[in-house]
Amino acid sequence: MSSQALLYVIVLPVAWLLLWLLKGARARQALLLIVSYGLYASFGPRFLALLIFSSILNYGLGILLRRKPSGGRLWLGIVFNVALLGTFKYVPAIAPLLPTSSLSGSLTGIALPVGISFWTFQALSYLFDLYREEELEPSLLEFLLYMAFWPTVLSGPICRLSTLLPQFRDPFQPTSEDVRRGLDRICTGLFMTALGQVLGSGLHPGQGIDGIFDSSTRGLTGPDVWCLAIGYGFELFFNFAGYTHMVIGAARVFGFRLDENFDRPYLSTTPSEFWTRWHMSLSFWIRDYLFLPMVMLRRDAWWRSFVLVLSMVVFGLWHKGAVLFLLWGLYQGLLLVVHRQWQQLQVRHDWQLSQTIMAPLSWLVTFCTICLGWVFFRANTVTQALTMLHAAANLGSFPRATLPANLFILVAVLALGYFATIGSQRLLHNYSETLTIPLEFRFALYAVAVYIGIFHAAQTQAFIYFQF
Amino acid sequence: MKSLTSIGRWCLGLVIFAIVLEVCARVDDVVTYGAPFWGPYNDEILLQRDSIGKWGKPGARYAKWQLNSLGYRGPELRVGSVRILTMGASETFGLYEAPGEEYPRQLERDLNLWAGKDLFQVVNVAFAGETLPTTIVRVPQIVRQIHPSYALIYPDLSSYIWMSLRSPANNLPAQDASRSGLKFESRLSGRVENLLKQALPISIQNELRKISMRREITSRHYVILDRLPEDRFEHFRQDLQALIAALRDYEVEPVLVTHATIFSRPLSESDRISLTHWRKIYPMLKEEGFLDMEKRMNDVIRQTAVEEHLPLIDAEKEMPHGPKYFADFVHFTTYGAGVMASILANGMEPLLHSQLQAANVMTQDGSAVQPNPAGGDQR
């Protein structure tokens, strides 16, 4: 457990109690802002200064856009936010390529403020919405809170002001249902992040997904690479979706309802569907503010494909200014284009394929191609990624596996366990209205989740998406 | 009435929450370490009592610490090896290092790498809280069991701070001896403590240590020392000489090692925090007194090496300082243990040269390894 996590555990219950005592919306917003700034400052006071600077400037740009929603003013906002993000996120990445060593040295040392990608995109969505003449009139206090809101500021979900503003203005009245559901989700998140940690660190030291990616991956066979790709896909999912569960759950305890970020993504049967189920808040942001406005500019098929690829490249580069993320975005974009071409072929030739065969086949192809793409996301170098992909496609290497058997078993158990859990959830869904878990049993389940998520995970594992 | 029931159920829920957490901790111990579900589970289960005092329990295991069938940390004795003892206290026993990475194990690997074969075996006969007087009494038993050729002596100097407060034969500080195996001990409390140690900022932890230290000084009426009086160093000198003599009686060649710490000069802020951490265990000695103690006791080790014509490995001078090497004031990190092992290996290699040559000659002749000149029978 980090110092920051302890601070959250101490501060939030106190804030929750204090909010009950405050009557006015402004007083509650002020308290939430103080709490949000205090928690964010624990990651570095300089980061907080930058967040406040960005918030005030974006609020000012918002006033300009409200008065006259012109393209010029919107572009001013876009340039400012992209420049801010670029300075802290991309300049250090390209600095080593600069000829002057002293300059490149100082630029490389620029620290990445926690959550900058998330809150910058929130600021941009506000400006885009104003340009579209949405009725958004936050006070400065409300806008500062929107940008720094403690559940979302570190790793999302990337929220829209239209979702949060009414909730900021509502009375503070979390119901027992909110608290119960919130705690349920926090515990689910703890459990999922613990599973992610098990995959990352393995059952034995150095035998987890991360350890193998970080050591030499030469000599890996096809089954090894597939195990690593699928394993990392689940590690990332458990880690990020688990974190999101905790964020949404913590906000729910306070009575706030945040947008979902994941919707059983590995059940997707097409790449397009996958991107409506994985990191949904970013995916929908890209769709609404980049893909749709751009695709409307021309009606040509090639333009649509180009914008699709471009959007996914931006999606990739949003994570990090690195060639590997560019390649990952390119790969995902190409998958979407290929899928679209396939759909058009089906329509053009009126292929009627049996759903009994097509649905599982389509799921399998989608699952495998998406998982293979994670190699770009996790590899440490382009060479490593390409070597691994080559091995994955090398059918001659398939009878052999060099990774420890326990890793194959672990990945298989967790992957199958995930699908089995979803299956059982569907079965239970019909009974969920009548099924009530007694309070005492619920506390016992919470204890198990807290133990697995906090105590058993003695060594702290950072949330993967904190680095973005 | 309804609200009372509700409050009651919430209270019951919280009790269940705490009980299930404790059960989870116990199941975790069972699964991870093979610990018993019921009963106490702490470092005391590594120890047994005999006429001399506390000693390692053969085959005992607690968390990452595993003792062999003789009650020493490490693997079983290997037949045909040249054996080297490491004597000392918790620094030698190993606290923070990953299992198998304490300096005796790393030293063994380094020496065998140098030898090009599995010729040497380093036997770690140290225990946390072990004192020189106890080790002296144990020498006959240790030699009878292990038949070593050399003994690396890395003494725990701070045990001499306690001298006037407890009997020399008792290995552990007075407060540890009161730990009973019968009373209920929560397995969760240690985990909570560890979590807080991870999470609390170091400055807050330091202030908490100071508060606890002041409380202990007041409650136990300790006389505060600026520096250790000279008689402690004289005791240490006599004990060291007695240990050397005892080992020589059994034809075991002692090698003295000076004591290394995390502290660099001038002291950094983190050094001062480490000093407070150290003082929390020995509240009767002021922080600066520890540095003075280290210097004077290392001088005693150096003088003794000269007087007794013994090889000396000056780890105090050779070992780098700082948190990369030390997890606290004197205990090594895994990396630090590796550095210490290589310092010791460099110091030992000239001494072991004859053993290696003899072993090589025997290998060429195709016969067994001959008895070594220093007296071990190398079974």
Side-chain angles (χ1 to χ4, degrees), chain A residues 52-300:
Chain A
I52 294 173
F53 168 72
S54 169
S55 304
I56 292 173
L57 222 92
N58 275 298
Y59 185 71
L61 287 164
I63 292 171
L64 286 178
L65 271 169
R66 265 207 305 268
R67 282 184 196 150
K68 187 185 170 196
S70 71
R73 291 177 180 193
L74 177 65
W75 272 108
L76 187 66
I78 294 171
V79 168
F80 163 71
N81 281 293
V82 171
L84 188 75
L85 191 59
T87 305
F88 287 92
K89 190 151 188 162
Y90 304 113
V91 169
I94 57 169
L97 306 174
L98 295 175
T100 319
S101 60
S102 62
L103 180 67
S104 78
S106 53
L107 292 177
T108 310
I110 296 175
L112 180 70
V114 182
I116 188 170
S117 310
F118 293 91
W119 49 256
T120 302
F121 268 41
Q122 287 206 163
L124 279 170
S125 77
Y126 168 64
L127 299 180
F128 284 125
D129 288 346
L130 285 179
Y131 178 72
R132 292 170 177 179
E133 300 186 37
E134 274 194 36
E135 291 291 321
L136 293 170
E137 289 191 24
S139 66
L140 177 61
L141 180 62
E142 286 165 340
F143 186 73
L144 293 176
L145 179 57
Y146 163 67
M147 288 286 282
F149 192 40
W150 61 265
T152 60
V153 69
L154 299 177
S155 287
I158 301 166
C159 295
R160 313 279 170 100
L161 187 61
S162 52
T163 312
L164 286 181
L165 196 55
Q167 300 189 64
F168 289 157
R169 291 172 178 173
D170 281 346
F172 182 74
Q173 284 174 336
T175 60
S176 59
E177 175 74 0
D178 286 331
V179 174
R180 190 176 62 76
R181 286 196 180 271
L183 290 176
D184 283 357
R185 294 201 64 166
I186 291 172
C187 289
T188 306
L190 279 172
F191 188 70
M192 286 177 73
T193 49
L195 291 181
Q197 190 177 346
V198 170
L199 275 169
S201 56
L203 296 175
H204 300 290
Q207 292 187 3
I209 302 288
D210 291 337
I212 292 164
F213 263 107
D214 291 339
S215 61
S216 173
T217 45
R218 277 184 190 175
L220 289 180
T221 62
D224 294 336
V225 174
W226 280 104
C227 173
L228 288 174
I230 294 170
Y232 183 69
F234 276 99
E235 181 194 346
L236 185 66
F237 171 70
F238 286 136
N239 184 288
F240 191 26
Y243 171 82
T244 306
H245 266 298
M246 286 194 268
V247 164
I248 294 175
R252 184 74 188 265
V253 171
F254 279 72
F256 294 103
R257 294 185 183 218
L258 303 182
D259 293 332
E260 293 295 336
N261 226 6
F262 291 88
D263 179 19
R264 295 164 296 174
Y266 288 130
L267 292 189
S268 309
T269 52
T270 67
S272 321
E273 189 189 355
F274 179 82
W275 288 111
T276 59
R277 288 165 165 248
W278 177 279
H279 201 173
M280 292 148 69
S281 63
L282 177 61
S283 194
F284 294 158
W285 193 102
I286 299 267
R287 181 196 65 191
D288 294 346
Y289 302 121
L290 182 69
F291 176 74
L292 289 177
M294 281 191 75
V295 86
M296 305 265 203
L297 296 177
R298 301 175 70 106
R299 297 190 62 83
D300 306 306

Side-chain angles (χ1 to χ4, degrees), chain B residues 53-73:
Chain B
K54 287 181 177 175
W55 198 238
K57 194 186 288 177
R61 184 182 174 190
Y62 169 66
K64 65 180 177 184
W65 295 278
Q66 169 85 54
L67 307 187
N68 64 16
S69 60
L70 296 174
Y72 302 116
R73 187 173 187 196

Side-chain angles (χ1 to χ4, degrees), chain B residues 2 22 40 45 88 114 122 125 151 161 197 199 229 234-235 265-266 288 298 325 332 339 363:
Chain B
K2 196 181 171 188
E22 178 66 30
I45 67 168
W114 167 72
V122 177
V125 296
I161 307 169
K197 275 183 188 167
E234 198 43 49
H235 267 289
R265 289 303 180 101
E288 288 297 325
N298 277 329
Y325 307 94
F332 301 107
V339 175
T363 312

Side-chain angles (χ1 to χ4, degrees), chain B residues 194-229:
Chain B
N194 281 342
L195 265 187
L196 288 176
K197 275 183 188 167
Q198 280 178 26
L200 277 180
I202 291 169
S203 55
I204 294 177
Q205 287 190 46
N206 201 38
E207 288 308 311
L208 291 174
R209 281 192 196 113
K210 284 180 183 171
I211 293 167
S212 147
M213 206 161 63
R214 278 189 223 114
R215 198 181 299 155
E216 197 181 340
I217 289 169
T218 313
S219 66
R220 291 179 184 255
H221 309 291
Y222 286 136
V223 177
I224 306 301
L225 303 170
D226 287 327
R227 62 206 295 257
L228 279 187

